[in-house]
Amino acid sequence: MKILISGGGFAGMTAAYWLKQYGMTPVVVERAGSERTGGYAIDYFATAYDVGEHMRIIPELAAQPIDAAFLGFIESNGEYIARLYMASIRKAVGGKYLPLMHGTIEQALYHSVREDVEFRFNTTVRAVEQSPDSVLVTLSDGTTETVDLVIGADGVHSRVRELVFGPEQNYAHFMGYHFASYPLPNKYNLPRAWINYNEPGRQIGTYPNRVPGETVVFLTWRAEDTPVPPRSERAAHIRKIYDGMGWLGSQLVNDLAPDTEIFMDTVTQIQMEHWSRGRVVLVGDACGCPTFLSGQGASLAMGGAYILAQELDRNQNYADAFAYYEHRMLPQTTLRQAKARDFAGTFVPDSKLGVTAAHIGEKIIMRDRFTGLLGDFMMGDSILDTEGFYRLPESHDNLLGYRIAGKLKKINYETIDLDMSALVEKYKRVRLLIQLDDFRSIEPAALWSDYEFGREYRDAIAKLAVVGNTRLADWASRFAKPFYAQSVKHFDSDALDDAWKWLEPDAA
Ligand SMILES: Cc1cc2nc3c(=O)[nH]c(=O)nc-3n(C[C@H](O)[C@H](O)[C@H](O)COP(=O)(O)OP(=O)(O)OC[C@H]3O[C@@H](n4cnc5c(N)ncnc54)[C@H](O)[C@@H]3O)c2cc1C
């Protein structure tokens, strides 16, 4: 199977690697002239780390971390409000964490595929024409390619998405900020740390670049949903916004050299209900950009690509593979995007009071003893651990579904409220409902809503699997039978696959 991948970033190269491993023929089309280096900092952890382990790139990454000892917030006089050491962050996400430059990750990914995968740099996709058996892709160099599938892994401003799914504005959710990033010689005696300084509506951060003697400046400011200025006007634009900023704020902007490349963009999520159309599928930022406010972009890009390739290998036909992939990744993406939207409200406070409140919060949370809270906040769980939760049973019509709550396998899940009325209306009958619940805390209101749920849907639900490790979960399944479904069973969370198997026609 020949698969054209538009975009050689995290998602594109991860997809290329795994498709090749599974015996398919990926071709990567990348807009840039060669593999990219440098860029901005990435907290590399969770799913991205796990996928990196499977690809054996961790030793290369671990040899090139950003040389920052801690994350700190400072006052205008440079005094620290709070500091969090990298060891604490690492502990918060279960030990697997690396602070890296974006380019370091891209290079390691490139090294893992360059021998086996065809790359066409300086090339983009111009047109995509689908027929029942193939896709005809016209490229910017004037050539055409006939392939079985196309993967759009070309980032937040994806061209494939635009060509096949429609304009960006249909899917863009602006988060209220613009950001910019650029390198500067470190003549300010800045520490080996990631430090941030806030004033109402604007934030400036610095951290050591991988290039010796350089620092990277990272700016985020509150803005309207307007396009970012062209490259030639960017320096003047940010000088205006950071005019008169305390600490080194305005100096770090005024000292910009005329020829310095400034990376600038809006902070915008991409939200889509479906990720494939015919033989074209999207992955990474192209379909689910969560923005840097989530810290989840690398995980969704690499995890999504890994799962997409896995499903293409497991399924006979691409449509099933796309359905499984979307089913496993979309709820994860939605959940992580929602967290980032919550955080966006307070990320750069817009008033003095807000800045003071943020300082109090930083003092509280940035302590060693709160690494658990920090881990929850960073969502340090790996999507790969939840395979069983999101993998559809063999038939994906006449489903469904799941209710997720509580704490299982050390992973926090938020309840995903399915619109059961709409689902029952659509499918008429729910063959299996999986309720993931340890029943660790029972609230009367939740019990009442469960009771009402059962009263309404009992007849439509054939089987209810209560999945949880506590004795209460077992009891709940026994008591539930008359109320919630025609048949109810309890499964330990490790036996989640058995819960899925219970759906099979010959299972009792
Ligand atoms: C400032 C910043 C900080 C971040 N911090 C973190 C973090 O700490 N942790 C984290 O997990 N994530 C972070 N992210 C998010 C993360 O970088 C992205 O989610 C991730 O890079 C997405 O990978 P991708 O492959 O989908 O897209 P990209 O990395 O954007 O790659 C897309 C690729 O497609 C190419 N391309 C674009 N258009 C075309 C075209 N028309 N034709 C061909 N090729 C094209 C591009 O050149 C690029 O190589 C951050 C993002 C930013 C901007």
Side-chain angles (χ1 to χ4, degrees):
M1 186 145 61
K2 188 167 182 182
I3 302 179
L4 185 129
I5 301 173
S6 171
F10 293 0
M13 286 196 279
T14 306
Y17 176 92
W18 289 105
L19 292 171
K20 187 73 195 170
Q21 294 286 314
Y22 294 130
M24 294 171 242
T25 311
V27 177
V28 179
V29 169
E30 165 56 47
R31 184 178 56 186
S34 61
E35 91 262 34
R36 299 181 304 174
T37 54
Y40 46 86
I42 296 273
D43 286 315
Y44 188 81
F45 63 105
T47 314
Y49 199 108
D50 281 357
V51 175
E53 276 183 334
H54 294 321
M55 294 171 77
R56 302 195 186 93
I57 59 171
I58 298 297
E60 182 172 343
L61 298 177
Q64 307 173 70
I66 293 173
D67 186 18
F70 60 86
L71 167 72
F73 283 86
I74 52 166
E75 305 267 17
S76 60
N77 59 9
E79 267 179 32
Y80 288 101
I81 297 159
R83 264 184 280 199
L84 189 66
Y85 283 84
M86 288 301 160
S88 303
I89 301 178
R90 190 168 294 118
K91 191 169 142 207
V93 296
K96 295 178 173 182
Y97 167 83
L98 288 167
L100 298 167
M101 291 305 283
H102 187 266
T104 306
I105 305 169
E106 287 208 333
Q107 269 188 327
L109 288 171
Y110 184 63
H111 295 158
S112 75
V113 286
R114 65 180 165 188
E115 305 287 324
D116 307 313
V117 174
E118 181 186 343
F119 269 76
R120 298 210 194 155
F121 289 108
N122 274 320
T123 312
T124 59
V125 171
R126 280 265 161 83
V128 175
E129 239 174 280
Q130 299 201 53
S131 63
D133 301 324
S134 62
V135 193
L136 179 69
V137 184
T138 308
L139 299 172
S140 56
D141 59 8
T143 59
T144 56
E145 280 282 339
T146 302
V147 293
D148 297 288
L149 303 173
V150 170
I151 297 179
D154 40 4
V156 60
H157 305 300
S158 167
R159 179 84 179 120
V160 170
R161 187 186 60 227
E162 187 176 22
L163 288 169
V164 179
F165 297 78
E168 183 168 319
Q169 75 228 34
N170 294 355
Y171 307 108
H173 178 96
F174 178 62
M175 307 273 276
Y177 299 102
H178 287 193
F179 74 88
S181 166
Y182 53 89
L184 268 189
N186 180 6
K187 59 177 187 185
Y188 316 94
N189 203 19
L190 292 164
R192 286 173 36 238
W194 181 318
I195 42 179
N196 285 305
Y197 171 65
N198 271 330
E199 283 183 4
R202 50 191 185 173
Q203 182 184 84
I204 188 160
T206 66
Y207 52 84
N209 201 356
R210 287 284 308 158
V211 179
E214 270 190 10
T215 190
V216 177
V217 178
F218 187 67
L219 313 172
T220 315
W221 63 97
R222 286 187 176 255
E224 297 296 316
D225 188 6
T226 49
V228 297
R231 285 177 195 281
S232 59
E233 294 167 24
R234 288 181 184 174
H237 184 72
I238 53 179
R239 278 185 189 129
K240 212 161 125 194
I241 291 164
Y242 282 79
D243 185 37
M245 196 180 196
W247 181 57
L248 291 169
S250 48
Q251 192 182 351
L252 288 167
V253 179
N254 288 330
D255 287 354
L256 248 169
D259 55 346
T260 304
E261 175 84 4
I262 302 173
F263 174 41
M264 191 184 287
D265 207 345
T266 63
V267 180
T268 300
Q269 287 189 338
I270 296 298
Q271 297 170 12
M272 300 180 79
E273 281 177 20
H274 292 293
W275 291 348
S276 68
R277 204 164 268 186
R279 292 176 170 269
V280 180
V281 66
L282 302 175
V283 65
D285 275 6
C287 57
C289 174
T291 74
F292 67 82
L293 296 176
S294 73
Q296 296 286 323
S299 283
L300 293 177
M302 293 181 67
Y306 176 83
I307 286 170
L308 173 60
Q310 198 178 52
E311 294 299 348
L312 281 167
D313 176 54
R314 282 178 181 173
N315 289 277
Q316 291 294 321
N317 84 53
Y318 69 86
D320 282 351
F322 290 174
Y324 281 121
Y325 153 66
E326 188 178 296
H327 187 74
R328 286 172 65 183
M329 281 305 294
L330 193 57
Q332 296 281 1
T333 305
T334 309
L335 188 65
R336 286 152 212 271
Q337 287 186 324
K339 278 239 172 181
R341 285 197 300 278
D342 287 350
F343 182 43
T346 53
F347 178 63
V348 180
D350 57 359
S351 64
K352 275 194 171 173
L353 188 67
V355 172
T356 310
H359 288 172
I360 295 169
E362 285 144 15
K363 274 185 187 158
I364 294 172
I365 197 167
M366 289 171 72
R367 283 165 193 253
D368 250 2
R369 76 184 84 132
F370 290 131
T371 45
L373 266 181
L374 183 70
D376 287 351
F377 174 74
M378 289 175 75
M379 302 196 79
D381 57 309
S382 172
I383 295 167
L384 305 190
D385 288 345
T386 64
E387 174 171 357
F389 299 167
Y390 289 100
R391 199 173 151 73
L392 279 169
E394 278 316 304
S395 152
H396 49 83
D397 48 291
N398 193 14
L399 329 165
L400 217 242
Y402 43 48
R403 305 176 82 203
I404 299 181
K407 198 164 187 178
L408 281 166
K409 285 186 165 184
K410 299 196 195 111
I411 300 161
N412 280 324
Y413 287 93
E414 294 196 348
T415 303
I416 296 182
D417 278 323
L418 294 174
D419 184 346
M420 287 304 291
S421 321
L423 288 169
V424 173
E425 186 60 33
K426 186 169 167 198
Y427 297 107
K428 304 294 177 226
R429 193 167 153 76
V430 175
R431 290 169 55 206
L432 174 69
L433 177 71
I434 295 190
Q435 175 157 3
L436 298 172
D437 203 335
D438 263 357
F439 294 89
R440 286 197 194 277
S441 61
I442 298 187
E443 291 165 27
L447 280 182
W448 181 252
S449 97
D450 270 9
Y451 168 72
E452 290 202 309
F453 174 86
R455 217 174 44 169
E456 196 163 348
Y457 300 117
R458 183 192 179 279
D459 291 341
I461 297 169
K463 292 174 177 176
L464 169 70
V466 179
V467 180
N469 281 338
T470 59
R471 200 178 279 181
L472 260 178
D474 186 16
W475 287 348
S477 68
R478 290 174 208 208
F479 288 123
K481 185 164 180 217
F483 300 116
Y484 299 129
Q486 289 146 48
S487 184
V488 183
K489 271 193 187 181
H490 168 247
F491 297 86
D492 279 341
S493 53
D494 286 342
L496 196 90
D497 277 354
D498 293 338
W500 284 128
K501 282 188 202 136
W502 188 33
L503 186 64
E504 286 165 14
D506 54 343

